[in-house]
Amino acid sequence: MSQITTKARIGLVGLGVMGANLSLNIAEKGFPIAVFNRTGSVTDEFIAESGDLREALVPTKTYEELVAALEAPRAVIIMVKAGGPVDAVIEALTPLLEEGDMIIDAGNADFHDTRRREAALREKGLNFIGMGVSGGEEGARHGPSIMVGGNPASYETIRDIIEAISAKHDGDPCAAHFGPDGAGHFVKTVHNGIEYADMQMIAEIYGLLRDGAHRAPEEIGALFERWDKGPLNSYLVEISGKVLQTSDPETGKPMVEVIVDKAGQKGTGRWTAIEALTLGQSPSTIEAAVAARSWSSEKETRLAGAEIFGTEPEHNLTLPKETDFEQALLVAKLVAYDQGFKLLKAASDHYDWGLDLARAAEVWREGCIIRSALLDDMAAAIRNGLPQDQLIFSADFIAHMKTGLPALRRVVSYATSAGLPVPALANALAYFDTMRQGRGTTDLIQAQRDFFGAHGFERMDGGEGQHGPWHG
Ligand code: 6PG
């Protein structure tokens, strides 16, 4: 049994990679933290490897010890696998906590679970904070982007810790409280949805340069590295440049050539799409990215398809210029963010969260996976007010859109003619073209619905619930 001499400001359950790094970050910022892991040897190893930070760490071997090690009101961060394991930890901790204490779920939780847990714990006089943490292990250790939801008063009691451990943008903490119950986890989910779209679009451009322009991975990597110095400056373009210029130590081949083209997914991108559809939204770039990952996992089917249909012949296609690819990626990315922010707005209205969308953009400027130079401009544009809630209609981005759209059009046309799939880029373009089409084609959909189901339509010259003279 460990000897507890110091009362810790906060506790943490789950010393996996993320939990361990977050604990070291908290300890490093000068906050004594009590840690607990279900397998005690993991705690011992963690402490043994904690070096100078050892003094600020309180190892505990039972939930009772953990709770006893904490200052009141107690705050315990849970960093375990989403779903059942979170409920199991909550169940173990709840009887040991007192009114006013707080449990913080720092994993990638489904915000519906967060809402349910918050309501259940509130009944027992306990506070539950849903806290999205982005930035991978490096971020957790040295400064993640943090999206908080839950009772604002209880967040206030740990705000100093959360802001201290977060990434900073010109000194401004990339951490914020976004609203009650599931608001923080929802913002994190949409962050991940945008992450999926951004990654997919970069991968599509890589595919066109690889299979259309027949460029080697390292050449494409060097190009991404150059783009990272311009308007596309972002963590994802930066790491894509690095990844493409990395060789496999075993074979000497480019790393990407030894990696099977089947993408994994833990579910946050899918949740974004599902929640969007439930709210009557359709973030088509995110949906396309989720679909592309699912299709990618059907490797055997794709191999069979390649066998049956071969590759589409190219008919004197003109390859778009390098700058076209760069511009296309930029505007398609703006569309992905536009759709993400629209979804945040829709959820905020529906759940009455009062989400500060500009603050979300600000919190994403550093520390998280989607951090990029553009986010500062987006935050400013949102603060100025978005016409029709559309980021791409904002005065700050109209010029970008007007310059980049012909390039996106050339890139998508090229891809389509070459038979190279670009679902996210094509969906970005389709969304944009739809949003600038004053008169669409759903007049016919309405007529069809009325024809077969008497669903009624609205007339241009006034009057809802009208019917057509379809059946004589
Ligand atoms: C982050 C990441 C992180 C995790 C993703 C991976 O913000 O730090 O989004 O949360 O890497 O959940 O998700 P997939 O496994 O679904 O790609």
Side-chain angles (χ1 to χ4, degrees), residues 376-399:
D376 203 28
D377 300 336
M378 291 186 201
I382 299 168
R383 288 235 179 273
N384 288 337
L386 298 181
Q388 312 293 326
D389 298 327
Q390 296 284 154
L391 185 73
I392 55 174
F393 289 2
S394 128
D396 308 70
F397 289 109
I398 290 174

Side-chain angles (χ1 to χ4, degrees), residues 39-332:
T39 312
S41 57
V42 172
T43 311
D44 296 337
E45 280 161 36
F46 169 73
I47 295 293
E49 289 164 12
S50 60
D52 292 347
L53 299 176
R54 168 72 187 86
E55 275 177 34
L57 296 163
V58 184
T60 64
K61 289 290 173 62
T62 62
Y63 282 111
E64 287 77 6
E65 269 187 39
L66 173 72
V67 170
L70 302 174
E71 266 177 36
R74 296 166 196 83
V76 184
I77 298 176
I78 307 181
M79 197 51 132
V80 300
K81 205 166 172 304
V86 173
D87 285 317
V89 175
I90 293 173
E91 206 176 308
L93 278 172
T94 306
L96 307 174
L97 296 175
E98 286 170 10
E99 202 170 322
D101 289 350
M102 167 186 0
I103 295 178
I104 305 143
D105 177 10
N108 271 336
D110 181 333
F111 84 106
H112 291 296
D113 285 340
T114 307
R115 284 167 64 79
R116 167 179 60 77
R117 290 167 182 148
E118 195 277 335
L121 288 184
R122 190 160 16 99
E123 290 259 296
K124 296 178 178 155
L126 299 176
N127 294 303
F128 187 74
I129 296 280
M131 186 170 92
V133 177
S134 176
E137 49 186 288
E138 190 60 22
R141 178 67 185 84
H142 298 292
S145 168
I146 305 179
M147 294 141 261
V148 181
N151 178 345
S154 57
Y155 173 60
E156 273 309 308
T157 67
I158 53 159
R159 187 156 73 96
D160 57 340
I161 304 178
I162 302 306
E163 290 189 349
I165 63 167
S166 75
K168 309 287 179 303
H169 180 270
D170 288 342
D172 181 26
C174 291
H177 176 266
F178 283 99
D181 52 73
H185 274 143
F186 191 85
V187 174
K188 175 61 168 62
T189 300
V190 174
H191 163 284
N192 280 33
I194 295 172
E195 171 185 306
Y196 271 51
D198 207 344
M199 291 167 76
Q200 175 64 23
M201 287 168 176
I202 295 171
E204 289 176 10
I205 296 287
Y206 151 71
L208 296 179
L209 291 167
R210 185 189 69 184
D211 301 331
H214 304 293
R215 298 225 193 151
E218 55 269 34
E219 263 184 280
I220 306 171
L223 181 63
F224 284 1
E225 195 180 322
R226 286 204 298 283
W227 288 353
D228 187 41
K229 297 185 173 74
L232 277 174
N233 173 255
S234 62
Y235 175 69
L236 285 170
V237 169
E238 179 198 334
I239 64 161
S240 304
K242 287 187 175 148
V243 161
L244 288 164
Q245 295 181 81
T246 303
S247 303
D248 173 33
E250 279 179 42
T251 59
K253 288 184 185 170
M255 249 347 273
V256 280
E257 286 183 7
V258 299
I259 298 175
V260 177
D261 55 331
K262 288 159 80 168
Q265 50 179 318
K266 295 201 200 75
T268 43
R270 190 168 47 230
W271 291 344
T272 311
I274 291 170
E275 291 315 323
L277 291 174
T278 307
L279 290 164
Q281 293 286 309
S282 185
S284 56
T285 54
I286 298 170
E287 290 164 352
V290 175
R293 287 203 195 184
S294 304
W295 296 337
S296 84
S297 68
E298 297 182 42
K299 176 84 175 167
E300 298 305 315
T301 310
R302 291 187 288 115
L303 286 170
E307 188 78 16
I308 298 167
F309 297 106
T311 27
E312 290 279 329
E314 295 187 20
H315 297 294
N316 302 320
L317 292 177
T318 312
L319 189 78
K321 295 196 282 283
E322 261 183 20
T323 49
D324 280 348
F325 287 114
E326 184 183 15
Q327 290 283 340
L329 188 52
L330 188 74
V331 289

Side-chain angles (χ1 to χ4, degrees), residues 329-347:
L329 188 52
L330 188 74
V331 289
K333 184 173 162 136
L334 285 174
V335 169
Y337 276 89
D338 176 293
Q339 295 182 332
F341 284 118
K342 245 173 110 167
L343 171 55
L344 285 177
K345 168 82 169 56

